[in-house]
Amino acid sequence: MAVIGVVGAGVMGIGVAQNVATGGHDVVLVDTSEQVLADARTAIHRNCRLSRMMGGPTLDPDEVLSRITTAVGLDALTKAELVIENVTENWEIKRDVHAELDRVLPADTVVVANTSAIPITRIASVGTHPERVVGVHFMNPVPAKPVVELIPGFHTTPETLQRTRDLLASMGKRWVDVKDASGFVSNRVLMLTINEAAYLVHEGVATAESVDDVFRGCFGHPMGPLETADLIGVDTILYSVEVLYEHYADSKYRPCPLLKQMTDAGLHGRKSGRGFYTYNN
């Protein structure tokens, strides 16, 4: 596959585009504004420059960026053989993007939904070619995480799965096969943990620092759950928990009010400069 499309130039899309490009593919990265795309190129250059320092391979930022072109709008993806969608974890937004992808893309283009919790069969139902839709749950930061969850939908064909596996192999990823269920494996567990950790802060049981200190010090986790929430994005955490709550209709997924308040206040974590912690962006 020579050309890979990447939809969304947020934190996940930036990581996916960089990882695909370092795997030797040409990338078309699309979003809704030139400024977002310019910021994405700056971020990719910085991340490549710091790759070795962060324990990754030595990368030439200019060489990686030479494989990435950017464009506003999904019409730029018509020549892509596979498209990876990375828009925010919000059903209305994902639904509209996938409906537009179904209109724009040739019937044989594979569509990969990078989602934290939304069932793949639901995403595939939006278009007229559900057989070409498959889920891959990339972890953040994408270039540094060697394992992904691979989730076929009800109609996903073996050919779609194989083409996706081929791409993942070129990206240096190992995949774990998971059946299509909201939250899959990782976020059925992780989102509950983060949501409950947020409740501890909301109820005044402990500070964010204390919660994370317990998980790092007692269980050997490299990051506490609320540090992880800031890395993923507090808004993304909220949307994911809401999807789980809606899908399973189980009170254990009831979103913490603090997550809602922080999302409304723009305290989205690292990407906004402030979440449970404050950052110098």
Side-chain angles (χ1 to χ4, degrees):
M1 289 177 282
V3 180
I4 305 298
V6 177
V7 180
V11 173
M12 292 300 291
I14 288 169
V16 168
Q18 176 185 321
N19 201 165
V20 172
T22 56
H25 302 280
D26 291 331
V27 176
V28 180
L29 175 62
V30 303
D31 210 295
T32 56
S33 82
E34 294 288 359
Q35 185 59 56
V36 168
L37 293 167
D39 291 344
R41 293 187 70 87
T42 299
I44 291 170
H45 190 281
R46 180 186 65 246
N47 293 343
C48 289
R49 184 169 49 82
L50 298 175
S51 174
R52 185 67 174 175
M53 185 185 306
M54 303 303 291
T58 300
L59 299 175
D60 181 339
D62 294 327
E63 181 181 348
V64 173
L65 283 169
S66 72
R67 298 195 188 103
I68 301 175
T69 59
T70 58
V72 172
L74 300 180
D75 288 333
L77 300 174
T78 55
K79 297 186 183 301
E81 297 178 48
L82 182 147
V83 171
I84 305 171
E85 170 272 309
N86 309 275
V87 301
T88 189
E89 198 72 359
N90 177 288
W91 169 240
E92 286 74 22
I93 295 173
K94 279 198 184 282
R95 179 194 61 203
D96 292 348
V97 167
H98 279 271
E100 185 67 7
L101 286 172
D102 190 68
R103 182 189 69 80
V104 168
L105 298 177
D108 60 349
T109 302
V110 172
V111 177
V112 173
N114 179 15
T115 175
S116 299
I118 300 174
I120 305 307
T121 302
R122 186 181 189 188
I123 293 173
S125 70
V126 170
T128 56
H129 301 286
E131 72 283 352
R132 52 113 170 251
V133 180
V134 63
V136 175
H137 181 204
F138 290 95
M139 310 298 163
N140 186 35
V142 175
K145 299 292 185 177
V147 178
V148 301
E149 291 175 298
L150 178 62
I151 313 105
F154 185 87
H155 297 287
T156 306
T157 62
E159 180 186 3
T160 296
L161 278 169
Q162 188 56 53
R163 290 171 67 186
T164 305
R165 292 187 184 111
D166 290 344
L167 176 66
L168 291 172
S170 74
M171 296 171 68
K173 302 300 186 195
R174 179 170 69 84
W175 54 88
V176 176
D177 294 315
V178 177
K179 290 185 177 180
D180 188 21
S182 180
F184 319 120
V185 171
S186 59
N187 282 342
R188 281 280 294 274
V189 177
L190 178 63
M191 294 302 158
L192 274 176
T193 303
I194 293 175
N195 194 50
E196 196 63 27
Y199 267 114
L200 290 171
V201 177
H202 179 62
E203 294 166 3
V205 175
T207 64
E209 291 85 353
S210 296
V211 171
D212 287 338
D213 192 23
V214 168
F215 277 82
R216 289 193 307 269
C218 296
F219 304 117
H221 292 193
M223 296 180 68
L226 300 178
E227 291 174 302
T228 302
D230 276 358
L231 178 64
I232 294 171
V234 173
D235 53 336
T236 299
I237 300 297
L238 173 63
Y239 299 148
S240 298
V241 175
E242 287 178 336
V243 169
L244 292 167
Y245 186 51
E246 175 194 358
H247 185 82
Y248 293 110
D250 191 325
S251 61
K252 70 182 179 182
Y253 297 110
R254 181 170 59 94
C256 176
L258 180 58
L259 294 177
K260 296 183 178 182
Q261 184 182 51
M262 292 174 68
T263 297
D264 290 342
L267 308 183
H268 296 169
R270 288 182 180 271
K271 60 188 177 184
S272 69
R274 184 180 171 193
F276 287 98
Y277 299 87
T278 300
Y279 305 89
N280 296 318
N281 287 352

